[in-house]
Amino acid sequence: MTDPLPSTSRSLPIALIRAREGVMAPIREMLSETGITEQQWRVLRVLDEAGSMDTKTLANRASLLFPSLTRIASAMRDKGLITQTRDTVDRRRQMIALAPAGQKIIDDHRHRAGQIVDGFRATLGTENYETLLDLLGRLDPGPRD
Amino acid sequence: MTDPLPSTSRSLPIALIRAREGVMAPIREMLSETGITEQQWRVLRVLDEAGSMDTKTLANRASLLFPSLTRIASAMRDKGLITQTRDTVDRRRQMIALAPAGQKIIDDHRHRAGQIVDGFRATLGTENYETLLDLLGRLDPGPRD
DNA sequence: TGTCAATAATTAACATGTTAACGATACTGC
DNA sequence: GCAGTATCGTTAACATGTTAATTATTGACA
């Protein structure tokens, strides 16, 4: 018996990459004028949504690996987008908070970002959009604790 | 009116990233013993499926950007996984073909890769799995020609 | 209290993603 | 033929993904 792999045109990993390309294209276009990257935008989004938090929690919520976040946070600190402070009790820990310049980027682009999301929701239809999020969620491995 | 962005837990870009993490984890584990990367595996898959082709077509089918493919192909040539030959008619073009060592990696891992795919299909159910691929396909921007 | 394991974060090393600039070849129309 | 343009591919520069090693700090416990 042969044991054919699925055609690459029906391959789940490739489909996920391509869908991500399609979704991120307009977002990247929006962000290009701000000078921040897609990952930095995710960090700002999470901090705006949930307030300041420690690095580990931030990495999980923004779906970034720890070493990536170390570099990203250091770049964002240098740009004045966030602040980093050592936990006084456990000096291994670090708290990260939104700085005014970071908050301004969120505020300035919240509306357009919402429009982009609405565009995709309209493309698929609300029901399909929610179905897609549910199915994707079932493939999510969860936090790597 | 406030204009809230979707919670990051229901954000499409983040959901796509996390789903990809979940899907790729077992594949990366399988590939770790071969010494090739996930992208190199995609290149081998496409070549195995459709035969040799020029660089541009390969980049599109494997969802790789051109500069990435330049580096990946050069590494794979050095490892003897593929061959690169100049088109004699149009000397700008380059044909890439599977070499025996590359074919062997495909053959040795075809079965396990199929099992991994079947696992995800079973997790979601066949109907949901096909629905997911269809919805992802509708977000695909298509080739960047 | 002194040693060892566990945790938070960084650093290192290499591969890829992304955009822009560049070089080489082919085509087009005059 | 030749200037202008388009196409294929590479290179450059920087940011991120990924795994492994390292440092700093804390906690457990004999």
Side-chain angles (χ1 to χ4, degrees):
Chain A
M1 289 283 289
T2 59
D3 192 5
L5 287 171
S7 155
T8 47
S9 60
R10 293 295 280 179
S11 153
L12 186 51
I14 291 183
L16 289 167
I17 292 171
R18 292 188 174 160
R20 195 168 125 68
E21 278 179 34
V23 170
M24 289 314 301
I27 296 178
R28 261 202 292 271
E29 187 182 0
M30 175 188 81
L31 293 178
S32 68
E33 64 193 42
T34 70
I36 72 171
T37 67
E38 167 201 334
Q39 288 81 0
Q40 294 177 355
W41 171 252
R42 283 217 301 278
V43 168
L44 294 180
R45 285 277 318 273
V46 170
L47 292 174
D48 176 57
E49 177 179 314
S52 59
M53 62 188 71
D54 65 83
T55 305
K56 186 178 183 180
T57 306
L58 179 55
N60 276 328
R61 295 215 192 183
S63 281
L64 293 169
L65 293 180
F66 233 87
S68 294
L69 183 52
T70 293
R71 289 175 302 211
I72 292 169
S74 134
M76 294 179 78
R77 172 175 37 74
D78 293 346
K79 286 198 272 189
L81 303 178
I82 61 168
T83 60
Q84 293 174 301
T85 56
R86 284 278 162 196
D87 185 314
T88 52
V89 178
D90 185 340
R91 283 186 304 192
R92 292 170 303 183
R93 287 197 184 173
Q94 190 182 143
M95 293 298 284
I96 297 188
L98 210 47
Q103 183 68 58
K104 176 166 169 48
I105 289 183
I106 287 282
D107 292 341
D108 287 349
H109 295 84
R110 195 189 304 275
H111 182 65
R112 272 172 66 194
Q115 287 178 322
I116 292 172
V117 171
D118 290 345
F120 284 112
R121 189 188 299 272
T123 296
L124 295 183
T126 296
E127 187 180 349
N128 283 334
Y129 189 87
E130 297 300 325
T131 299
L132 176 58
L133 283 176
D134 290 339
L135 291 175
L136 290 174
R138 291 172 61 182
L139 297 175
D140 183 352
R144 296 176 177 178
D145 294 341
Chain B
M1 290 279 288
T2 59
D3 191 7
L5 287 170
S7 155
T8 47
S9 59
R10 293 294 282 177
S11 153
L12 186 52
I14 291 182
L16 289 168
I17 292 171
R18 291 187 175 160
R20 193 169 125 68
E21 277 179 33
V23 169
M24 289 314 301
I27 297 179
R28 260 201 293 272
E29 188 182 359
M30 174 187 81
L31 293 179
S32 68
E33 65 193 42
T34 71
I36 73 171
T37 66
E38 167 201 334
Q39 288 79 1
Q40 294 177 356
W41 171 252
R42 282 217 301 279
V43 169
L44 294 179
R45 286 277 319 274
V46 170
L47 292 174
D48 177 57
E49 175 178 315
S52 58
M53 62 188 71
D54 64 81
T55 304
K56 186 178 183 180
T57 306
L58 179 55
N60 276 328
R61 296 216 191 183
S63 281
L64 294 169
L65 294 180
F66 233 86
S68 294
L69 184 52
T70 292
R71 290 175 301 212
I72 293 169
S74 135
M76 293 179 78
R77 172 174 37 73
D78 293 347
K79 286 198 270 189
L81 302 178
I82 60 167
T83 60
Q84 292 174 302
T85 56
R86 283 279 161 197
D87 185 315
T88 51
V89 178
D90 184 341
R91 282 187 304 191
R92 293 170 303 184
R93 287 198 183 171
Q94 189 183 143
M95 293 299 283
I96 298 187
L98 210 48
Q103 183 69 57
K104 176 166 171 45
I105 291 183
I106 287 282
D107 292 340
D108 287 350
H109 295 84
R110 194 190 303 276
H111 182 64
R112 271 173 66 195
Q115 287 178 322
I116 292 171
V117 172
D118 290 345
F120 285 112
R121 189 189 299 269
T123 297
L124 295 183
T126 295
E127 188 180 347
N128 282 333
Y129 189 87
E130 297 299 326
T131 299
L132 175 57
L133 282 176
D134 290 339
L135 291 176
L136 291 174
R138 290 172 62 183
L139 297 174
D140 182 353
R144 295 175 176 178
D145 293 341

